[in-house]
Amino acid sequence: KNTGKKGYGKDMKLLIDTNVILDMVFRRKGCDDSMKLFRKIKDYGYVAYITASSVTDLFYITRKVLHDTGQTYAVMENIFKLVTVLSVTEKDIMDAFGQKWKDFEDCVQYMTGKNSGADFIITVNRGDFEDVLLPVRTPAEWLEEAGM
């Protein structure tokens, strides 16, 4: 079932940037768009990915904010219900290293998504992914383009 725009089929792969997840977890500005994005991903059968390096970042940041390891594991369990984790390979790391981006972490995410066949990067900080080959959208932009 897919009633979104043509080209937005069930096999679409969306690489979700860490900040989109953090917006939802901590109810930050923009969290409504991020929550709507995940509802649509589920409703239409799209696949949302985060990188393995995002998992460690999410755990670290969540534990630092919550000051509770048990609660952090509970948050992470809920995140894993929403996303599939992409392995970060040596090729992803070396490709990112060769790019010499100011923010190496963002470049690792980009290269992992690119090398894994992601169709879009979904982020709230589009400027983190300038001059890349993959389309980069905010949650609101992606929802609008997909006709949702």
Side-chain angles (χ1 to χ4, degrees):
K1 142 184 153 180
N2 180 1
T3 58
K5 278 192 179 174
K6 187 175 180 176
Y8 285 72
K10 257 183 138 12
D11 57 349
M12 179 165 300
K13 295 179 176 181
L14 305 174
L15 178 64
I16 310 297
D17 193 12
T18 308
N19 54 41
V20 173
I21 305 286
L22 290 171
D23 284 355
M24 287 192 319
V25 169
F26 297 114
R27 305 277 194 252
R28 301 189 308 198
K29 182 180 176 190
C31 71
D32 291 342
D33 289 334
S34 297
M35 286 191 267
K36 183 176 179 184
L37 172 76
F38 276 99
R39 280 194 301 276
K40 295 302 181 183
I41 287 169
K42 183 180 179 204
D43 290 348
Y44 292 96
Y46 300 135
V47 182
Y49 292 96
I50 61 173
T51 65
S53 54
S54 288
V55 172
T56 57
D57 294 341
L58 286 165
F59 191 95
Y60 174 80
I61 293 166
T62 302
R63 187 169 51 102
K64 189 173 178 181
V65 170
L66 297 180
H67 304 287
D68 185 318
T69 302
Q71 228 183 335
T72 299
Y73 275 103
V75 167
M76 295 303 297
E77 284 177 22
N78 286 324
I79 291 170
F80 294 144
K81 292 175 186 173
L82 300 173
V83 299
T84 299
V85 179
L86 286 175
S87 296
V88 176
T89 67
E90 180 179 4
K91 176 177 176 24
D92 300 329
I93 296 293
M94 298 315 290
D95 287 352
F97 189 77
Q99 296 296 311
K100 305 291 189 232
W101 283 19
K102 182 177 174 182
D103 189 327
F104 183 68
E105 174 196 359
D106 286 336
C107 196
V108 169
Q109 284 200 90
Y110 167 67
M111 286 299 174
T112 302
K114 180 177 168 281
N115 292 341
S116 298
D119 296 299
F120 286 90
I121 295 174
I122 309 297
T123 182
V124 295
N125 298 324
R126 293 185 81 207
D128 291 347
F129 299 95
E130 293 179 349
D131 300 321
V132 296
L133 298 176
L134 291 176
V136 179
R137 303 291 185 269
T138 66
E141 289 168 343
W142 188 86
L143 288 164
E144 185 178 330
E145 283 183 22
M148 300 180 193

